[in-house]
Amino acid sequence: MTYRYLFILLILISCSRDEPDNQPVKTSYLELALVQGGDFVMGCSAEECKYKAELPAHQVTVSDYYISRYEVTQQEWTDIMGENPSYFDDDASLPVERVSWEDIVGTEGESEVIKGITYYSNGFIYRLNKMTNKQYRLPTEAEWEYAARGGNKNRGCIYSGSNVIDSVAWYWNNSGDRTHPVGRKSANELGLYDMSGNVWEWCSDYYGAYSSSPQTDPQGVVSGSCYVIRGGSWVITSDYARVSFRTDYYSWPSRRQNYLGFRLAMSK
């Protein structure tokens, strides 16, 4: 066996290890993981990719930031907004869904600008920030992918935390046609849950083609009609849960679907 094949085998074994599963998890929107910044290759090579949107692979540098360990739950949304818009609403620890980018970011009223995005007072994040005196925000697409890959602990897995999708994600084959409580699958290298599967996650960026140039803390293209969603969901196949997969998937800012949710980020 050559050293090359031994190295590949070791990566596959590392990415296939499971953590304790199916344990109840008490979550909070305040439960953030520190993501230490670094360099990574965003997207993938022409030999690896199946979709043009993932090309070209390009070098990205991100600064330190925080990201929530779990997708925002229905309980957390209801605590801030006073109502639950979700289709699957039989468990408060399910990820909130049927929330649009505009519901999260807001559209009118008082506002504050955080990392280039204006958050309005009728949106979830503005209200959360006023309640907590923090500056939560949506992650950029680069922050999302870096975190999904495991940050500087990245083991090179296909999905977020594993090459075995059933260990880390709820998707078409195992979801039973619905969402599941957050944190019931294994975490990735950074202790983040459900970054593959369960619900697609909104990012702050407009959707647009990648640049081939190296970038530092990119925030996406300057204009567009749709926003980036990442991670796949309960209603779609494993291919869409890969850490490199990206799409606009008709994600105009007012779109609400029972497979669309989000998680929070915060600058350090």
Side-chain angles (χ1 to χ4, degrees), residues 34-37 63-66 135 137 143 265-268:
L34 173 63
V35 183
Q36 294 181 332
S63 303
D64 293 356
Y65 62 100
Y66 296 93
Q135 282 202 321
R137 56 176 174 81
E143 289 172 336
M266 184 188 295
S267 299
K268 187 179 179 185

Side-chain angles (χ1 to χ4, degrees), residues 147-202:
R149 289 181 178 276
N152 60 13
K153 299 179 181 179
N154 176 13
R155 300 196 306 263
C157 300
I158 299 170
Y159 311 104
S160 185
S162 181
N163 283 328
V164 181
I165 187 171
D166 286 272
S167 69
V168 293
W170 299 108
Y171 69 111
W172 178 266
N173 285 20
N174 68 5
S175 69
D177 297 328
R178 60 163 300 143
T179 59
H180 290 262
V182 302
R184 295 293 177 87
K185 291 290 186 177
S186 296
N188 77 352
E189 298 93 322
L190 295 176
L192 309 177
Y193 296 85
D194 298 307
M195 295 203 76
S196 288
N198 219 3
V199 290
W200 289 100
E201 298 180 13
W202 288 105

Side-chain angles (χ1 to χ4, degrees), residues 102-134:
E102 290 177 343
D103 293 332
I104 300 163
V105 172
T107 56
E108 60 185 13
E110 296 180 2
S111 64
E112 61 177 348
V113 177
I114 307 173
K115 203 174 176 67
I117 301 296
T118 303
Y119 293 89
Y120 292 93
S121 58
N122 67 332
F124 174 87
I125 287 180
Y126 184 97
R127 295 184 183 186
L128 171 63
N129 287 345
K130 290 303 179 184
M131 180 178 291
T132 60
N133 198 31
K134 302 289 186 181

